[in-house]
């Protein structure tokens, strides 16, 4: 149980384009989903927290107009990187808490490696 | 001061050795504590939650010391497959903060 999927696993795009990443909880209802970013050899950095049906809460320093988050259902959240630039290249990972196991345990998706040329 | 701090390592240990990691947290209000394992270029995977009374899962033992605000992870009889980065995390329901991770390399 507690499986989280992400799509795509890897994406390469040109500077200025937008990229959408999907995060799905496959076997439980995710009341809360989290989006992280991880640069090489650095720790996970929380970008935003989203609760189903409400607006995401962004961490300080994360531009909400650049990183659009939608959590429209209990099993799906999307992160759209708008007008991507090379400095946005990173490993984006979602996680979810919800009806599986302890409500405070986060289960991670496999991540999406974004490369912006 | 970082909210969650870990020694980055690397810890290079021979197979069969016992190794221990510590992690300190600064938020005394934290209620939840976890150890995750992250392999290179992969997502973190939950290794174990850490309970006040301490808990054990096979070769892995986790302890919580609220007075000193640290959690520990003990790995006994290290295997080559234990080589990874170990992340500790603390927080509450809506937010968990991760440490930078401690890298473990088990050597044949």
């Amino acid at each position: 149980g507690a499986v989280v999927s992400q799509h795509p696993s890897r994406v390469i795009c040109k500077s200025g384009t937008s990229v959408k990443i999907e995060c799905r909880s496959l076997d439980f209802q995710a009341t809360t989903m989290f989006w992280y970013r991880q640069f090489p050899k650095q720790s996970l950095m929380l970008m935003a927290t989203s609760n189903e049906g409400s607006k995401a809460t962004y961490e300080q320093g994360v531009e909400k107009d650049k990183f659009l988050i939608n959590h429209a259902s209990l099993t799906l959240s999307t992160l759209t990187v708008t007008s991507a630039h090379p400095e946005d290249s990173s490993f984006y990972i979602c996680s979810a808490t919800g009806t599986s196991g302890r409500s405070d345990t986060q289960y991670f998706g496999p991540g999406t490696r974004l490369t912006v040329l | 001061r970082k909210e969650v701090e870990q020694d980055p390592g690397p810890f290079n240990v021979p197979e069969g050795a016992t190794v221990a990691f510590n992690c300190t947290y600064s938020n005394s209000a934290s209620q939840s504590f976890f150890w995750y394992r992250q392999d290179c270029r992969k997502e973190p995977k939950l290794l174990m939650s850490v309970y006040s009374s301490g808990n054990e899962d096979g070769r892995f033992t986790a302890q919580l010391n609220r007075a000193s605000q640290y959690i520990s992870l003990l790995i006994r009889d290290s295997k080559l497959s234990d080589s990874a980065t170990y992340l500790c995390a603390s927080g509450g329901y809506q937010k968990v903060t991760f440490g930078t991770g401690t890298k473990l390399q088990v050597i044949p």
Side-chain angles (χ1 to χ4, degrees), chain A residues 2 5 8 11 16 31 34 38 40 47 66 88 100-101 105 114:
Chain A
S5 71
V11 60
T31 48
F34 305 85
Q38 188 176 35
M47 299 175 68
K66 181 172 179 62
D88 298 323
S100 181
T105 301
L114 171 63

Side-chain angles (χ1 to χ4, degrees), chain B residues 14-55:
Chain B
E15 256 185 302
T18 295
V19 61
F21 307 136
N22 279 341
C23 166
T24 58
Y25 61 94
S26 61
N27 186 352
S28 59
S30 294
Q31 295 296 318
S32 304
F33 306 91
F34 308 91
W35 282 103
Y36 283 81
R37 170 195 170 127
Q38 187 174 23
D39 292 289
C40 187
R41 299 174 72 84
K42 299 283 188 180
E43 79 278 18
K45 293 193 174 168
L46 180 67
L47 184 62
M48 55 202 306
S49 302
V50 186
Y51 303 111
S52 296
S53 55
N55 45 305

Side-chain angles (χ1 to χ4, degrees), chain A residues 10 31-32 34 36 38 43-44 46 49 51 59 91 93 102-106 108-110 113, chain B residues 31-34 36 38 41-44 46 49-51 87 92-96 98-100:
Chain A
R10 180 182 296 267
T31 48
T32 305
F34 305 85
Y36 293 86
Q38 188 176 35
S43 64
L44 291 169
L46 179 65
T49 302
N51 293 297
E59 294 299 300
F91 190 42
I93 316 176
R102 282 174 47 166
S103 61
D104 58 353
T105 301
Q106 293 186 33
F108 285 84
R113 198 159 299 279
Chain B
Q31 295 296 318
S32 304
F33 306 91
F34 308 91
Y36 283 81
Q38 187 174 23
R41 299 174 72 84
K42 299 283 188 180
E43 79 278 18
L46 180 67
S49 302
V50 186
Y51 303 111
L87 307 173
Y93 175 62
Q94 281 291 313
K95 183 175 179 179
V96 170
F98 288 83
T100 53

Side-chain angles (χ1 to χ4, degrees), chain A residues 64-79:
Chain A
K64 62 179 181 181
D65 294 329
K66 181 172 179 62
F67 299 99
L68 303 177
I69 292 171
N70 185 284
H71 191 164
S73 77
L74 283 172
T75 59
L76 174 64
S77 177
T78 60
L79 166 68

Side-chain angles (χ1 to χ4, degrees), chain B:
Chain B
R1 183 185 173 187
K2 290 181 182 177
E3 197 167 331
V4 178
E5 289 200 71
Q6 293 182 254
D7 180 343
F11 283 59
N12 297 313
V13 302
E15 256 185 302
T18 295
V19 61
F21 307 136
N22 279 341
C23 166
T24 58
Y25 61 94
S26 61
N27 186 352
S28 59
S30 294
Q31 295 296 318
S32 304
F33 306 91
F34 308 91
W35 282 103
Y36 283 81
R37 170 195 170 127
Q38 187 174 23
D39 292 289
C40 187
R41 299 174 72 84
K42 299 283 188 180
E43 79 278 18
K45 293 193 174 168
L46 180 67
L47 184 62
M48 55 202 306
S49 302
V50 186
Y51 303 111
S52 296
S53 55
N55 45 305
E56 186 174 312
D57 183 3
R59 299 182 291 109
F60 299 84
T61 300
Q63 295 279 350
L64 167 63
N65 185 318
R66 283 194 183 274
S68 300
Q69 294 185 201
Y70 75 83
I71 61 174
S72 64
L73 177 69
L74 183 78
I75 305 175
R76 289 181 297 277
D77 188 23
S78 300
K79 311 289 185 191
L80 294 176
S81 57
D82 294 333
S83 298
T85 296
Y86 291 82
L87 307 173
C88 69
S90 75
Y93 175 62
Q94 281 291 313
K95 183 175 179 179
V96 170
T97 302
F98 288 83
T100 53
T102 299
K103 187 171 182 179
L104 171 66
Q105 185 70 47
V106 181
I107 304 164

